[in-house]
């Protein structure tokens, strides 16, 4: 999937996805967390949002391409 497009599911551009992430974050009862785990992070759109509210985020995916995109996204956003 990632050989044809960096964002094959349009996670960073579709209204539905942006709304889903907003609802996910709104459901978290605390403003700050020590650690979050995100299985299947894909290109890291939600990972970046979680990193803003967490001291540490562990994100996984089966695709090395997706993990590289996630890593670049977090470095560019200066999230660590």
């Amino acid at each position: 999937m990632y050989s044809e497009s960096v964002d094959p599911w349009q996670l960073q551009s579709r209204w539905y996805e942006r709304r889903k992430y907003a609802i996910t974050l709104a459901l978290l009862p605390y403003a700050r967390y020590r650690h979050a785990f995100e299985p299947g992070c894909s290109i890291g759109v939600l990972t970046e949002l979680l990193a803003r509210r967490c001291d540490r985020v562990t994100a996984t995916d089966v695709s090395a391409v997706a993990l590289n995109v996630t890593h670049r996204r977090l470095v560019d956003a200066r999230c660590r």
Side-chain angles (χ1 to χ4, degrees), residues 30-42:
Y30 303 110
R32 193 85 190 146
Y33 292 86
R34 284 187 285 168
H35 185 220
F37 173 64
E38 183 188 7
C41 67
S42 187

Side-chain angles (χ1 to χ4, degrees), residues 17-29 46 49-50 53:
E17 298 297 339
R18 289 192 313 268
R19 177 76 173 134
K20 182 174 69 175
Y21 297 142
I23 291 169
T24 299
L25 294 173
L27 288 171
L28 297 175
L46 180 59
L49 298 171
L50 289 170
R53 291 186 54 188

Side-chain angles (χ1 to χ4, degrees), residues 2-32:
Y2 294 101
S3 63
E4 296 177 19
S5 171
V6 173
D7 187 3
W9 292 278
Q10 300 172 334
L11 299 174
Q12 58 190 353
S13 61
R14 290 179 63 203
W15 176 87
Y16 168 82
E17 298 297 339
R18 289 192 313 268
R19 177 76 173 134
K20 182 174 69 175
Y21 297 142
I23 291 169
T24 299
L25 294 173
L27 288 171
L28 297 175
Y30 303 110
R32 193 85 190 146

